[in-house]
Structure formats: structure tokens, C-alpha cells
Amino acid sequence: MNTRCPELREGCRVVCPVGEIDLATAPAFREQLRGNDAALPARVVADLRQVNFIDSSGLQELMKAQTRCEAVGGWVRVVYEHEAVDLLFRLTGYAERFPRYASVEDAWGDRAPEAAGG
């Protein structure tokens, strides 16, 4: 897994992994989501548009990040378009918990998530 960011956008951490998120790369994904700042971010957008595969270990890292963020009044939102990523969210029942956003801007602004599976 390579990375194209993270960046901070008005208090929101935007992470953009590239490639596959699996058991071997999940620790790096966790570090992206958490960051190396003293304070964990309260809001995170995970831009997965350049991810072509994610397994349950990557999903677990998203869920842990969501739990941490929600504990301080924040959120995790996910941008994705690859069919394999969509399939994982639908098959695990997490498509409602992590609605699909079309862009980082839409996720950041909480604008009309796309319906799961389409």
C-alpha cells in the first residue's frame, strides 16, 4: 500500500491509500487514520478511490477509527468507487455504517452519499 496523502483540511484528516489494504498493510493504514499528532483527529475522510482491494483487516481499522472519532463527537466517512471495495461493504453489512461518498468534498461536507451498490 502506497499513500498519496494524508492532509488536514479544516480539522479533518484526509487519507488516501493506494493499492491493497490487507493484513500486511493494515498497520500502515491504521497509522494513516490515526496520524502521528498528539491528539487523534475527530473527523477523518478515507479516500479509497485508489484502493483496488480491501479485506476485513482494513475494515476493522476503519471501524476502530470510527469508534475513536465518535467518542469525541466526530466521524469517519469513506469515498470509494472500486467494485471490490463496494462488495466488501455490502457483504459485511457495513454499507450503511460507511455510506459511499462520491468525492472528498462530498464526504467532508456530508453531501448526499450514494446508495450502496450503485
Side-chain angles (χ1 to χ4, degrees):
M1 178 185 72
N2 296 319
T3 61
R4 294 182 290 130
C5 35
E7 66 179 70
L8 286 176
R9 185 180 292 191
E10 296 183 34
C12 177
R13 184 173 187 78
V14 179
V15 300
C16 309
V18 177
E20 297 182 355
I21 302 174
D22 55 21
L23 187 59
T25 59
F29 184 47
R30 177 179 54 244
E31 291 306 311
Q32 280 190 332
L33 293 168
R34 291 180 62 103
N36 57 6
D37 303 329
L40 294 174
R43 296 177 292 168
V44 175
V45 173
D47 181 355
L48 304 182
R49 289 178 290 181
Q50 297 298 314
V51 170
N52 54 26
F53 175 81
I54 183 171
D55 70 8
S56 62
S57 57
L59 183 59
Q60 284 182 322
E61 294 305 335
L62 281 171
M63 292 171 53
K64 289 177 195 175
Q66 185 178 53
T67 299
R68 284 191 308 270
C69 290
E70 287 178 346
V72 294
W75 42 256
V76 171
R77 296 185 181 143
V78 184
V79 178
Y80 59 95
E81 56 191 30
H82 198 280
E83 187 176 320
V85 176
D86 180 58
L87 184 62
L88 176 72
F89 284 109
R90 286 187 293 117
L91 289 177
T92 58
Y94 287 109
E96 288 184 31
R97 188 169 184 173
F98 295 106
R100 177 195 294 200
Y101 288 85
S103 69
V104 171
E105 292 74 23
D106 285 351
W108 184 76
D110 196 20
R111 287 189 291 273
E114 296 179 7

